[in-house]
Amino acid sequence: MEKFYLENADVYRALLKSLNKTSPEPRTPQQLATETTSPDVVVCARIRPLLDEDVAAGFPCAVFPRVARPGIIDIHDLYNHPRGRPILKSSTYQVDRTFTSQADTGEIYDSLVADLVAFASNGGVGTLFAYGQTGSGKTFTISQLEQLVAMSLMEGNDTSQRQVHMTIIDLAGNSAHDLLNSREPISILEDSFGATQLAGAVEHQVRCRDDMMELIERAASFRRTAPTLKNDSSSRSHGICRIRITNPAAGPDSAGLLYLIDLAGSEAARDVATHGADRMRETREINMSLSVLKDCIRNKAELDALASAGRGRKSKQRKPRVPFRQSALTKVLKHVFEPSVDRACKMVVVACINPSIADVSPSKNTLRYAEMLRVTVPATSAKVNQNHMDPMAWTDEQLKEWVIDKSDACSVGSAGVPWAESLAQLARLPKAEFENKCPGMIGFSSEQVNFIRSKLWQMQLDSQHGSPGTSLDDPAGLDGANLRGQRPTSRMLTRELNDPTTVPLRKRLRPGMIVSWNRSPSSDAGASISDGSGMALILCPVQNLDGTFIDGAANVVNPTRSVETGTQARNSHGQGRYLCGQLTPGQVPESYELSLWHQIVIDVDVMEKEVIMEYDAQTRYYYVSL
Ligand SMILES: Nc1ncnc2c1ncn2[C@@H]1O[C@H](COP(=O)(O)OP(=O)(O)OP(=O)(O)O)[C@@H](O)[C@H]1O
């Protein structure tokens, strides 16, 4: 085939010239107007330049990214027509971003990886995969990105506060080796807590950029020498660099992970032809692990999209399964793929392409694989879901409008809203990153940022649980006044910060809401409950109770009488009274414990306001967040 390409190189160039004038618009994968690609998985292609040896061999370039349509790539192959002159066979592929042969690795870093680093620094899990055939530039890309990551991680402003640990391994089939420890074999095990452990791998703490560079270089030298030791294993193994970033000041929950992965690639047909049985088995194993990886990336993105749309629990739609246990590679990446681990994850896939016509076939395979990783999810648009109360259903424009309205009092115009993320992404950011993004970029105080975040979640929860204040006829609900063009003044914003809702409390009461309440001095209810916290979690309206029952203070509760106020209920159905669980002060300052066994009936008349609290899984206490 190579001989055919070389003999017909001039014919090929002439055909390309005529194609520019007459070729029809190539077909691109269709996407419905109501769909979008997953915001958490970005798939891009990097086309490396033709190397000197490619040029010397005389193979022309066959891969052409479209200038006017970023993300679309044409591959023009030369087909040996049995009855006449060779003809062009063109195929078109679509990815999210294309980096042409002129783009340097810094451009990839700035547009895709810098975000992942910030994300991991704030407690998220960021993963970058480089994929492509042998010689397409995976190692070139990953090693330069590792150096740029080292520079940005170790030269940032807050290096004194964070701790960075690094592990680099390579994985061939089921056998793994520590590249920072003389290729010592390691095991991939699941511990009794279900976490994947790289047993035997040494995790190195890095304190400065030089430390990190030295480790990167050490790992690279072990990969580089491997081909002579182990039959070209550099291209037949997955190279995994794991960077764990912790910030002791922010607590154990703040630990983030950044994975930079140089995937074993598909091989050119000319290389496969000379393979023996062992090498063919290796190739099969690689293909299997890449196929499992594809399923994991796709299904995880679909699961996340379902969760973002708030349909995870209710929908009867079959939930995609993430088969991460089916290969050693995805087992190592359990943090990324396990659905039960509700960690925010972002992925970037760089498909590396060799542009030479001699390699069109593997280049097409790489781009086909890249296209399969682009997951189409329902667009979070108002057209798809008309529930205005659910911020997850807003378009980016609606989110920005809402934030601009909120930020009016801070003199920030539309240009000041910098988020590239959709709300679905934004709301799922780790809290620290959400806060990092907001105040620095749009001039909000930390109190205002907290308010915005709490409010977004409050609105989303309201919309899912169908709270009394939510209706399509009254989309204003909690915030309609501001969304409908009435610009908030700083006084309004301050008032909202104190009282986060503009709809009366009694209209918004719902199970799960925490309220503060004022116990009347005449009340005997709760007398036996030590030190009432003045806060309670609403369980259900009293009228939902069946007959009388005994509360936590041994009072007999009758749906028609109020235990708390001791007065007759406003009507015979017991409306206006709620069975609540008490929140009592915890051991840690400013923490509260939910005591469900301390149940009490509270009249709405003595409820003061909603309190937004956050649950901390480590201490098992609630903390007031607003
Ligand atoms: N963007 C680029 N600009 C210049 N040279 C490049 C670029 N990408 C790759 N190269 C060169 O191409 C050659 C092959 O690249 P590299 O070793 O990174 O490929 P690979 O896909 O990792 O291969 P393998 O799978 O065999 O490890 C190297 O000589 C590298 O310097």
Side-chain angles (χ1 to χ4, degrees), residues 109-291:
Y109 181 86
D110 290 341
S111 51
L112 298 173
V113 187
D115 243 18
L116 283 189
V117 175
F119 187 66
S121 301
N122 287 309
V125 182
T127 311
L128 180 132
F129 299 97
Y131 169 73
Q133 72 165 116
T134 304
S136 59
K138 303 179 296 290
T139 309
F140 181 90
T141 303
I142 289 285
S143 58
Q144 292 196 350
L145 285 176
E146 283 172 348
Q147 290 171 23
L148 292 167
V149 168
M151 276 200 273
S152 91
L153 259 185
M154 306 314 292
E155 287 174 2
N157 295 331
D158 54 350
T159 45
S160 56
Q161 287 181 1
R162 56 162 102 100
Q163 290 180 357
V164 178
H165 293 84
M166 200 170 184
T167 311
I168 307 183
I169 63 164
D170 85 356
L171 189 64
N174 285 323
S175 59
H177 297 88
D178 186 351
L179 294 183
L180 296 180
N181 188 19
S182 317
R183 285 190 66 81
E184 280 294 308
I186 60 168
S187 312
I188 298 157
L189 301 172
E190 226 173 276
D191 66 19
S192 50
F193 297 101
T196 299
Q197 300 294 346
L198 302 177
V202 182
E203 192 181 51
H204 297 256
Q205 181 168 3
V206 283
R207 293 196 166 76
C208 62
R209 187 186 146 203
D210 288 348
D211 272 4
M212 205 157 170
M213 292 293 201
E214 194 271 318
L215 291 178
I216 291 167
E217 180 47 38
R218 198 192 308 171
S221 69
F222 274 113
R223 277 204 109 196
R224 269 202 302 269
T225 52
T228 51
L229 297 174
K230 199 174 170 285
N231 194 21
D232 193 17
S233 83
S234 114
S235 61
R236 313 311 300 144
S237 64
H238 306 296
I240 302 174
C241 167
R242 186 183 74 176
I243 301 171
R244 193 165 62 83
I245 306 158
T246 53
N247 186 346
D253 271 358
S254 70
L257 290 168
L258 178 67
Y259 289 98
L260 298 170
I261 300 176
D262 181 354
L263 289 171
S266 47
E267 286 180 291
R270 60 178 182 270
D271 299 331
V272 177
T274 59
H275 285 177
D278 278 359
R279 199 64 191 270
M280 291 305 283
R281 185 180 44 78
E282 237 179 26
T283 303
R284 269 198 307 278
E285 275 176 5
I286 290 170
N287 288 345
M288 197 275 286
S289 70
L290 293 173
S291 164

Side-chain angles (χ1 to χ4, degrees), residues 337-409:
F337 294 122
E338 191 181 29
S340 62
V341 177
D342 194 16
R343 288 190 76 164
C345 294
K346 283 185 180 185
M347 284 178 252
V348 171
V349 180
V350 184
C352 296
I353 308 290
N354 173 352
S356 165
I357 195 167
D359 288 289
V360 279
S361 183
S363 297
K364 284 183 191 174
N365 284 340
T366 301
L367 285 169
R368 240 177 253 132
Y369 184 83
E371 277 190 337
M372 284 190 279
L373 298 178
R374 294 180 80 229
V375 182
T376 304
V377 296
T380 49
S381 114
K383 281 185 193 125
V384 181
N385 180 351
Q386 288 294 327
N387 186 355
H388 300 276
M389 282 305 301
D390 182 357
M392 294 298 168
W394 291 351
T395 60
D396 288 359
E397 282 315 306
Q398 283 171 304
L399 167 66
K400 285 180 183 171
E401 190 185 329
W402 187 80
V403 174
I404 291 164
D405 271 352
K406 289 283 164 216
S407 61
D408 188 60

